[in-house]
Amino acid sequence: AAEDLDHARELVAGAGRIVAMTGAGISTDSGIPDFRGPNGLWTRDPGAERMSNLRAYVGSKEVREQTWQARLAHPGWNAAPNTAHRALVRLERQGRLHSIITQNIDRLHHQAGSAPERVLELHGTMFETVCLTCADRRDMREALDRVTAGETDPPCASCGGILKSATISFGQELDAEVLERARIAAQSGDLMLVAGSSLTVQPAAGLVGLAAGAGATVVVCNAAETPYDSFAAAVLRGPLGEVLPALT
Ligand code: NAD
């Protein structure tokens, strides 16, 4: 409702140190489907979930082959940031956005112009590969070129181990340093701005509770309900491409 937008706008205008928590919903307008939204990858094909499960990936060559094809065809390679990403850049240039904690792997915050040191990629990046045996990291391009050339499950060029995108799958630990930085950031803001996340993946979602516990005002912008809506001073259900620009 209009009053909610006005209230949220006042809260954002009055905040001096904003920390954003973004999820797949901020990138749907850029053509990258989310997992759990109405047009989400898992909503349309629940079986696709196994591609994001570490055990399934390690345990099945077939899952890895399917995942490599999905990586090759990923809309993120050609995606451009949208008005919602750009609204966060504006807040940063006003000197009021301290960090963006993102669950996204698409680097669209970077592309939009957010300062890289302020973007905490909690779930890693699709732009690199990592070897599950020797931890060798490389540009994703290398592996995708090998897949295009005919390798269906390219092994690590360094040790022969299983290669995966440098993203966090279910069953996989988050990078401890990134998580710690995100925890500190979440507790240091006076306003936690959630944008486009169902807040159902832990420990990411818990950072919103951490922020609230540290005294931050929470504003949730998400089309669907989240388990943290009751923590929020304002909840906005409108499309992010309109809501975020209206807040900044
Ligand atoms: P999610 O799919 O669980 O939730 C996305 C939420 O955004 C949904 O509740 C949906 O209703 C809402 N939404 C979608 N488009 C919207 C719009 N235009 N305006 C307002 N709301 C909108 O995503 P999540 O919470 O980020 O968690 C899923 C996991 O999937 C994360 O771990 C993330 O790493 C990964 N993921 C990332 C990308 C990406 O990098 N773009 C894409 C898909 C999944």
Side-chain angles (χ1 to χ4, degrees), residues 92-137:
E92 181 182 332
R93 300 214 168 128
Q94 293 166 3
R96 300 190 303 126
L97 182 74
H98 181 261
S99 319
I100 301 176
I101 304 171
T102 186
Q103 299 169 73
N104 295 344
I105 58 172
D106 56 29
R107 279 201 187 153
L108 289 181
H109 289 301
H110 297 84
Q111 263 199 64
S114 292
E117 66 274 16
R118 294 191 189 275
V119 182
L120 302 176
E121 295 178 296
L122 218 47
H123 293 165
T125 174
M126 61 187 269
F127 286 80
E128 288 174 13
T129 55
V130 64
C131 171
L132 294 179
T133 302
C134 74
D136 184 52
R137 281 178 91 97

Side-chain angles (χ1 to χ4, degrees), residues 22-29 32-38 41 103-106 123 170 196-201 221-225 237-241:
T22 67
I26 199 171
S27 295
T28 52
D29 275 353
I32 304 175
D34 59 13
F35 283 166
R36 301 174 182 83
L41 289 176
Q103 299 169 73
N104 295 344
I105 58 172
D106 56 29
H123 293 165
F170 290 98
S197 174
S198 64
L199 298 179
T200 52
V201 177
C221 306
N222 198 61
E225 269 182 40
R237 298 276 178 236
L240 286 168

Side-chain angles (χ1 to χ4, degrees), residues 8 10-20 91 95-99 183-194 207-208 210-219 231-234:
E10 276 170 30
L11 293 171
V12 169
R17 198 174 163 100
I18 299 169
V19 176
L91 274 182
R96 300 190 303 126
L97 182 74
H98 181 261
S99 319
R183 284 203 177 109
I184 291 167
Q187 295 176 90
S188 76
D190 58 2
L191 187 135
M192 165 65 79
L193 180 63
V194 177
L207 295 171
V208 177
L210 200 61
T217 301
V218 176
V219 173
F231 286 75

Side-chain angles (χ1 to χ4, degrees), residues 3-246:
E3 317 84 74
D4 296 327
L5 185 59
D6 287 344
H7 182 43
R9 199 188 271 136
E10 276 170 30
L11 293 171
V12 169
R17 198 174 163 100
I18 299 169
V19 176
M21 157 67 77
T22 67
I26 199 171
S27 295
T28 52
D29 275 353
S30 296
I32 304 175
D34 59 13
F35 283 166
R36 301 174 182 83
N39 206 25
L41 289 176
W42 300 352
T43 311
R44 285 181 296 158
D45 174 16
E49 198 164 345
R50 61 188 191 153
M51 289 197 280
S52 305
N53 182 292
L54 185 67
R55 257 218 284 181
Y57 188 83
V58 170
S60 161
K61 190 172 176 64
E62 190 202 326
V63 169
R64 291 197 296 278
E65 290 177 343
Q66 187 193 1
T67 306
W68 279 111
Q69 288 307 314
R71 286 183 188 129
L72 203 55
H74 200 284
W77 306 124
N78 301 309
N82 64 59
T83 55
H85 297 100
R86 284 195 289 274
L88 295 183
V89 176
R90 259 195 317 279
L91 274 182
E92 181 182 332
R93 300 214 168 128
Q94 293 166 3
R96 300 190 303 126
L97 182 74
H98 181 261
S99 319
I100 301 176
I101 304 171
T102 186
Q103 299 169 73
N104 295 344
I105 58 172
D106 56 29
R107 279 201 187 153
L108 289 181
H109 289 301
H110 297 84
Q111 263 199 64
S114 292
E117 66 274 16
R118 294 191 189 275
V119 182
L120 302 176
E121 295 178 296
L122 218 47
H123 293 165
T125 174
M126 61 187 269
F127 286 80
E128 288 174 13
T129 55
V130 64
C131 171
L132 294 179
T133 302
C134 74
D136 184 52
R137 281 178 91 97
R138 299 189 185 216
D139 199 312
M140 174 59 84
R141 195 69 256 164
E142 250 183 65
L144 291 185
D145 286 347
R146 291 169 63 191
V147 175
T148 305
E151 288 182 64
T152 56
D153 176 27
C156 171
S158 174
C159 81
I162 293 176
L163 218 54
K164 189 183 154 302
S165 75
T167 55
I168 306 297
S169 295
F170 290 98
Q172 200 171 9
E173 297 275 325
L174 275 65
D175 181 293
E177 194 190 316
V178 176
L179 179 58
E180 186 53 23
R181 286 182 59 204
R183 284 203 177 109
I184 291 167
Q187 295 176 90
S188 76
D190 58 2
L191 187 135
M192 165 65 79
L193 180 63
V194 177
S197 174
S198 64
L199 298 179
T200 52
V201 177
Q202 295 293 355
L207 295 171
V208 177
L210 200 61
T217 301
V218 176
V219 173
V220 172
C221 306
N222 198 61
E225 269 182 40
T226 84
Y228 291 83
D229 289 354
S230 58
F231 286 75
V235 177
L236 301 175
R237 298 276 178 236
L240 286 168
E242 293 170 18
V243 166
L244 284 195

